[in-house]
CSV table of all heavy atoms in Angstrom, one decimal:
chain,number,residue,atom,x,y,z
A,122,ARG,N,-14.4,-9.2,2.4
A,122,ARG,CA,-15.1,-10.4,2.1
A,122,ARG,C,-16.3,-10.1,1.1
A,122,ARG,O,-16.9,-9.1,1.2
A,122,ARG,CB,-15.7,-11.0,3.4
A,122,ARG,CG,-16.4,-12.4,3.2
A,122,ARG,CD,-16.8,-13.0,4.5
A,122,ARG,NE,-17.8,-12.2,5.2
A,122,ARG,CZ,-19.1,-12.2,5.0
A,122,ARG,NH1,-19.6,-13.0,4.1
A,122,ARG,NH2,-19.9,-11.4,5.7
A,123,LEU,N,-16.4,-11.0,0.1
A,123,LEU,CA,-17.5,-10.9,-0.9
A,123,LEU,C,-18.7,-11.8,-0.5
A,123,LEU,O,-18.5,-12.9,0.0
A,123,LEU,CB,-17.0,-11.2,-2.3
A,123,LEU,CG,-15.8,-10.4,-2.8
A,123,LEU,CD1,-15.5,-10.8,-4.2
A,123,LEU,CD2,-16.1,-8.9,-2.8
A,124,THR,N,-19.8,-11.3,-0.9
A,124,THR,CA,-21.1,-12.1,-0.7
A,124,THR,C,-21.5,-12.7,-2.0
A,124,THR,O,-22.7,-13.2,-2.1
A,124,THR,CB,-22.2,-11.2,-0.1
A,124,THR,OG1,-22.4,-10.1,-1.1
A,124,THR,CG2,-21.8,-10.6,1.2
A,141,ILE,N,-20.3,-9.3,-14.2
A,141,ILE,CA,-20.9,-8.7,-15.4
A,141,ILE,C,-19.9,-8.7,-16.5
A,141,ILE,O,-18.8,-8.1,-16.4
A,141,ILE,CB,-21.4,-7.3,-15.1
A,141,ILE,CG1,-22.5,-7.4,-14.0
A,141,ILE,CG2,-21.9,-6.6,-16.3
A,141,ILE,CD1,-23.0,-6.0,-13.6
A,192,ARG,N,-29.5,-1.4,-15.8
A,192,ARG,CA,-29.2,-2.6,-15.0
A,192,ARG,C,-28.8,-2.1,-13.6
A,192,ARG,O,-27.8,-1.3,-13.5
A,192,ARG,CB,-28.1,-3.4,-15.6
A,192,ARG,CG,-27.7,-4.6,-14.8
A,192,ARG,CD,-26.9,-5.6,-15.5
A,192,ARG,NE,-26.6,-6.8,-14.7
A,192,ARG,CZ,-26.1,-7.9,-15.2
A,192,ARG,NH1,-25.8,-8.0,-16.5
A,192,ARG,NH2,-25.8,-8.9,-14.4
A,193,LYS,N,-29.4,-2.6,-12.6
A,193,LYS,CA,-29.1,-2.2,-11.3
A,193,LYS,C,-27.8,-3.0,-10.8
A,193,LYS,O,-27.8,-4.2,-11.0
A,193,LYS,CB,-30.2,-2.5,-10.3
A,193,LYS,CG,-31.4,-1.6,-10.6
A,193,LYS,CD,-32.5,-1.9,-9.6
A,193,LYS,CE,-33.7,-1.0,-9.8
A,193,LYS,NZ,-34.8,-1.3,-8.8
A,194,VAL,N,-26.8,-2.3,-10.3
A,194,VAL,CA,-25.6,-2.9,-9.9
A,194,VAL,C,-25.3,-2.7,-8.5
A,194,VAL,O,-25.4,-1.5,-8.0
A,194,VAL,CB,-24.4,-2.4,-10.8
A,194,VAL,CG1,-23.1,-3.1,-10.4
A,194,VAL,CG2,-24.7,-2.6,-12.3
A,195,TYR,N,-25.0,-3.7,-7.7
A,195,TYR,CA,-24.8,-3.6,-6.3
A,195,TYR,C,-23.3,-4.1,-6.0
A,195,TYR,O,-22.8,-4.9,-6.7
A,195,TYR,CB,-25.8,-4.5,-5.5
A,195,TYR,CG,-27.2,-4.1,-5.6
A,195,TYR,CD1,-28.0,-4.6,-6.7
A,195,TYR,CD2,-27.7,-3.2,-4.7
A,195,TYR,CE1,-29.3,-4.2,-6.8
A,195,TYR,CE2,-29.1,-2.8,-4.8
A,195,TYR,CZ,-29.9,-3.3,-5.8
A,195,TYR,OH,-31.2,-2.9,-5.9
A,196,SER,N,-22.8,-3.5,-4.9
A,196,SER,CA,-21.5,-3.9,-4.4
A,196,SER,C,-21.7,-5.3,-3.8
A,196,SER,O,-22.6,-5.6,-3.1
A,196,SER,CB,-21.0,-3.0,-3.4
A,196,SER,OG,-19.8,-3.5,-2.7
A,197,LEU,N,-20.7,-6.2,-4.0
A,197,LEU,CA,-20.7,-7.5,-3.5
A,197,LEU,C,-19.8,-7.6,-2.2
A,197,LEU,O,-19.6,-8.7,-1.7
A,197,LEU,CB,-20.2,-8.5,-4.5
A,197,LEU,CG,-21.1,-8.7,-5.7
A,197,LEU,CD1,-20.5,-9.7,-6.7
A,197,LEU,CD2,-22.4,-9.3,-5.3
A,198,LEU,N,-19.2,-6.5,-1.8
A,198,LEU,CA,-18.5,-6.4,-0.6
A,198,LEU,C,-19.4,-6.6,0.6
A,198,LEU,O,-20.5,-5.9,0.7
A,198,LEU,CB,-17.7,-5.1,-0.5
A,198,LEU,CG,-16.4,-5.0,-1.2
A,198,LEU,CD1,-15.8,-3.6,-1.2
A,198,LEU,CD2,-15.4,-6.0,-0.7
A,199,ALA,N,-19.1,-7.5,1.5
A,199,ALA,CA,-20.0,-7.7,2.7
A,199,ALA,C,-20.2,-6.4,3.4
A,199,ALA,O,-19.2,-5.7,3.7
A,199,ALA,CB,-19.3,-8.7,3.6
A,200,GLY,N,-21.4,-6.1,3.7
A,200,GLY,CA,-21.7,-4.8,4.4
A,200,GLY,C,-21.8,-3.6,3.6
A,200,GLY,O,-22.0,-2.5,4.1
A,201,GLN,N,-21.6,-3.7,2.3
A,201,GLN,CA,-21.6,-2.6,1.4
A,201,GLN,C,-22.5,-2.9,0.2
A,201,GLN,O,-22.0,-3.1,-0.9
A,201,GLN,CB,-20.2,-2.2,1.0
A,201,GLN,CG,-19.3,-1.8,2.1
A,201,GLN,CD,-17.9,-1.3,1.6
A,201,GLN,OE1,-17.8,-0.8,0.5
A,201,GLN,NE2,-16.9,-1.6,2.4
A,202,GLN,N,-23.8,-2.9,0.4
A,202,GLN,CA,-24.7,-3.3,-0.7
A,202,GLN,C,-25.3,-2.1,-1.4
A,202,GLN,O,-26.4,-2.2,-1.9
A,202,GLN,CB,-25.8,-4.2,-0.1
A,202,GLN,CG,-25.3,-5.4,0.6
A,202,GLN,CD,-24.5,-6.3,-0.3
A,202,GLN,OE1,-24.9,-6.6,-1.4
A,202,GLN,NE2,-23.3,-6.7,0.1
A,203,GLU,N,-24.6,-1.0,-1.4
A,203,GLU,CA,-25.2,0.2,-2.0
A,203,GLU,C,-25.3,0.0,-3.5
A,203,GLU,O,-24.6,-0.7,-4.1
A,203,GLU,CB,-24.3,1.5,-1.7
A,203,GLU,CG,-23.0,1.5,-2.4
A,203,GLU,CD,-21.9,0.8,-1.7
A,203,GLU,OE1,-22.2,0.1,-0.7
A,203,GLU,OE2,-20.7,1.0,-2.0
A,204,LEU,N,-26.3,0.8,-4.1
A,204,LEU,CA,-26.5,0.7,-5.5
A,204,LEU,C,-25.6,1.7,-6.2
A,204,LEU,O,-25.4,2.8,-5.8
A,204,LEU,CB,-28.0,1.1,-5.8
A,204,LEU,CG,-28.4,1.3,-7.2
A,204,LEU,CD1,-28.4,-0.1,-7.9
A,204,LEU,CD2,-29.8,1.9,-7.3
A,205,PHE,N,-25.0,1.2,-7.3
A,205,PHE,CA,-24.1,2.1,-8.1
A,205,PHE,C,-25.0,2.8,-9.2
A,205,PHE,O,-25.8,2.2,-9.8
A,205,PHE,CB,-23.0,1.3,-8.8
A,205,PHE,CG,-21.9,0.9,-7.8
A,205,PHE,CD1,-22.0,-0.4,-7.2
A,205,PHE,CD2,-20.9,1.7,-7.5
A,205,PHE,CE1,-21.0,-0.8,-6.3
A,205,PHE,CE2,-19.9,1.3,-6.6
A,205,PHE,CZ,-20.0,0.1,-6.0
Side-chain angles (χ1 to χ4, degrees):
R122 184 174 63 85
L123 301 183
T124 58
I141 297 175
R192 178 165 184 169
K193 295 181 179 180
V194 181
Y195 296 88
S196 170
L197 294 175
L198 279 172
Q201 298 183 30
Q202 302 301 308
E203 70 273 14
L204 175 67
F205 286 94

